[in-house]
């Protein structure tokens, strides 16, 4: 099974710079939510988070407003904010929309990508495969996301990229959870290799079809992970 990166208990969290303090705090909290360090349904503890992130409570609260707008945190009157539950009911629709956007992006990228673009994509693919072999899930996930973002950028279509940014921020937690399944992780590596080959061949139809199917399968894998988890919980309560 993939291994998550372990924090170094002997290393203090770096203080965040004053410029863009709440954006930086939001970025760190977003990562913590995606990786399950701040689990769904849990209440936020301002004192602990302020200390861990090296910020005062004012920028921390601003960061929470940013994450609330993304659907990752629930702000509640007269109560501590809580980490939002994963919206299972909307997963199929979310990944359906994301698949459509990335399919079009891949089709356009096959036609518009420069040789430099493709060389960068090959480098990212090689790095991602190395993280997979070494069982480094967090590092793999970061490169995986960079690959998807690179393909969308290669399409050179601003409205398409803007739509992708909006949807991918809602899907990050779901994608991470889906990749936690060993079978999906291995399949994902092979699917990415197929997309890269189609892009290098300038085969827009195949590139789009493969990337769209890849994104849809991630959504399906997530639903399977959630169903298995719920079945396990039900069995434990019996």
């Amino acid at each position: 099974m993939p291994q998550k990166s372990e924090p170094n208990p002997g290393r203090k969290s770096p203080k965040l710079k004053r410029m863009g303090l709440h954006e930086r705090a939001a970025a760190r909290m977003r990562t913590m939510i995606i990786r399950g360090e701040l689990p769904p349904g849990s209440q936020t503890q301002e004192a602990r988070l302020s200390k861990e992130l090296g910020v005062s409570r004012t920028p921390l609260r601003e960061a929470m407003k940013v994450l609330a707008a993304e659907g990752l945190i629930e702000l509640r009157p007269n109560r501590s904010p809580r980490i939002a539950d994963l919206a299972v009911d909307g997963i199929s629709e979310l990944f359906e929309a994301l698949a459509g956007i990335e399919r079009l992006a891949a089709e356009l990228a096959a036609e518009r990508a420069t040789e430099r673009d493709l060389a960068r994509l090959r480098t990212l693919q090689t790095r991602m495969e190395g993280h997979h072999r070494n069982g480094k899930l967090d590092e793999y996930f970061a490169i995986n996301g960079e690959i998807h973002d690179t393909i969308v950028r290669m399409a050179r279509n601003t409205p398409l990229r803007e739509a992708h940014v909006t949807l991918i921020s809602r899907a990050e937690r779901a994608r991470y959870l889906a990749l936690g399944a060993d079978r999906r992780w291995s399949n994902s590596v092979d699917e990415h290799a197929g997309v890269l080959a189609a892009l290098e061949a300038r085969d827009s139809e195949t590139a789009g079809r493969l990337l769209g199917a890849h994104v849809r399968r991630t959504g399906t894998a997530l639903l399977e992970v959630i169903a298995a988890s719920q079945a396990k919980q039900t069995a434990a309560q019996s």
Side-chain angles (χ1 to χ4, degrees), residues 64-81:
M64 289 185 184
K65 291 179 183 178
V66 172
L67 298 177
E70 296 177 4
L72 294 176
I73 286 181
E74 295 176 5
L75 300 178
R76 306 178 296 174
N78 303 318
R79 301 177 66 185
S80 297

Side-chain angles (χ1 to χ4, degrees), residues 1 10-11 24-25 38-39 48 53 67 72 86 105 119 127 138 148 184 188 206 234:
M1 291 295 292
R11 184 180 61 193
R24 293 172 184 270
L38 295 174
R48 181 178 68 82
L53 298 176
L67 298 177
L72 294 176
L86 199 60
R127 290 171 58 192
D138 290 346
H148 283 265
R184 179 59 198 150
S188 178
T206 299
T234 300

